[in-house]
């Protein structure tokens, strides 16, 4: 396997499971020093331990990215542990299916806290370190950030906001050597998908159009794109929205 991340320092949120864990493991195999962050401390440590067992370097830390102070602390810990920062992968997310009329202030605010505010605060804290190394940010949005999707108003709105943040930062900092891209997965077989329970009385055809192919992506499929976007192979890719959805948004 190529060593695209040899001696690169990478901070990954949501690293306890799913596509973030798959990304952490792959980057670790490719030489990265991986800082695994998640609100699930035990899960983050399991991922870091797996990287170390395979001969890589990794450190785990617990943190709630919905809290600005904890975002800054995670960046500070990663830099203190590994001496700098080259890549920030904002992968942690919060979602679920809910009829618009059943959306609550609490669930709306929680979605934005994790899906938008977290990446914003992490990116702001990481910015000087990333600029110093001409690094990059990979945000994980969703097909819900590219098109309207029924029964997920907070998730869709927050992922559209993350897409907007990606584009804004890409334009503002591109000339300074910082790339910012968004990977937009469709349905992916991860524990996260278990939060997407179909609301009672939902029109199933409105949900069915979200998935073009009969099967779902694997976490590794999304990790492959994240790793490409974060690597020097994508040196001329900036402000891109990279769909990994089997063609769903093309239909």
């Amino acid at each position: 396997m190529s060593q695209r991340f040899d001696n690169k320092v990478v901070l990954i949120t949501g690293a306890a499971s799913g596509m973030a864990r798959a990304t952490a493991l792959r980057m670790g195999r490719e030489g990265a020093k991986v800082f695994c962050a998640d609100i699930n401390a035990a899960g983050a440590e399991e991922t870091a331990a797996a990287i170390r067992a395979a001969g890589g370097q990794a450190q785990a830390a617990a943190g709630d990215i919905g809290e600005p102070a904890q975002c800054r602390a995670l960046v500070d810990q990663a830099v203190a542990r590994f001496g700098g920062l080259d890549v920030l992968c904002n992968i942690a997310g919060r979602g679920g299916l809910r009829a618009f009329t059943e959306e609550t202030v609490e669930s709306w605010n929680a979605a934005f806290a994790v899906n938008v505010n977290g990446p914003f605060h992490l990116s702001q804290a990481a910015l000087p370190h990333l600029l110093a190394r001409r690094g990059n940010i990979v945000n994980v949005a969703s097909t819900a950030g590219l098109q309207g999707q029924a029964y997920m108003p907070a998730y869709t709105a927050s992922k559209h906001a993350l897409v907007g943040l990606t584009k804004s930062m890409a334009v503002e900092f591109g000339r300074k050597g910082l790339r910012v891209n968004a990977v937009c997965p469709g349905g992916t077989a991860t524990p996260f998908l278990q939060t997407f329970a179909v609301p009672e009385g939902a029109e199933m055809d409105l949900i069915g159009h979200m998935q073009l192919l009969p099967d779902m992506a694997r976490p590794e499929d999304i990790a492959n794109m994240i790793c490409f976007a974060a690597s020097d192979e994508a040196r001329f890719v900036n402000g891109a929205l990279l769909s990994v959805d089997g063609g769903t948004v093309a239909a």
Side-chain angles (χ1 to χ4, degrees):
M1 178 174 286
S2 63
Q3 295 294 293
R4 293 178 295 181
F5 299 100
D6 191 32
N7 288 320
K8 301 285 189 183
V9 180
V10 182
L11 193 167
I12 299 176
T13 66
S17 64
M19 61 187 73
R21 185 175 196 271
T23 300
L25 293 175
R26 174 151 190 172
M27 287 185 168
R29 291 196 300 271
E30 292 196 36
K33 300 172 183 176
V34 187
F35 193 83
C36 303
D38 202 291
I39 198 168
N40 177 355
E45 177 53 39
E46 287 179 7
T47 300
I51 294 170
R52 293 193 295 266
Q57 299 184 61
Q59 176 74 38
D64 179 358
I65 66 166
E67 298 293 334
Q70 294 191 41
C71 290
R72 293 189 292 271
L74 288 172
V75 172
D76 290 344
Q77 290 174 57
V79 171
R81 174 65 178 82
F82 292 120
L85 187 63
D86 298 280
V87 181
L88 170 63
C89 294
N90 289 311
I91 307 180
R94 182 184 178 100
L97 287 166
R98 188 187 299 265
F100 178 82
T101 54
E102 300 300 318
E103 189 63 80
T104 66
V105 171
E106 292 76 18
S107 62
W108 178 273
N109 289 342
F112 272 79
V114 174
N115 298 344
V116 186
N117 300 350
F120 165 74
H121 291 296
L122 284 158
S123 297
Q124 200 170 62
L127 186 62
H129 307 289
L130 296 173
L131 288 173
R133 296 198 180 194
R134 299 182 70 85
N136 70 87
I137 298 171
V138 182
N139 294 320
V140 172
S142 168
T143 53
L146 304 177
Q147 62 183 20
Q149 294 190 351
Y151 306 114
M152 49 178 71
Y155 185 72
T156 300
S158 63
K159 290 300 186 179
H160 272 72
L162 183 58
V163 164
L165 177 63
T166 299
K167 290 182 176 182
S168 178
M169 289 191 68
V171 173
E172 184 170 347
F173 296 104
R175 291 179 179 175
K176 295 179 174 65
L178 175 69
R179 297 186 299 110
V180 186
N181 294 292
V183 172
C184 302
T188 307
T190 68
F192 177 69
L193 203 64
Q194 296 172 6
T195 65
F196 287 77
V198 178
E200 184 177 353
E203 297 180 58
M204 295 306 297
D205 61 318
L206 297 181
I207 297 174
H209 90 280
M210 301 176 193
Q211 191 76 20
L212 187 67
L213 299 180
D215 58 347
M216 291 187 177
R218 300 168 300 162
E220 292 76 15
D221 295 322
I222 314 305
N224 291 343
M225 182 62 84
I226 295 170
C227 290
F228 165 72
S231 76
D232 290 341
E233 292 179 346
R235 69 172 191 85
F236 212 62
V237 179
N238 186 37
L241 310 177
L242 304 167
S243 300
V244 188
D245 63 2
T248 298
V249 298

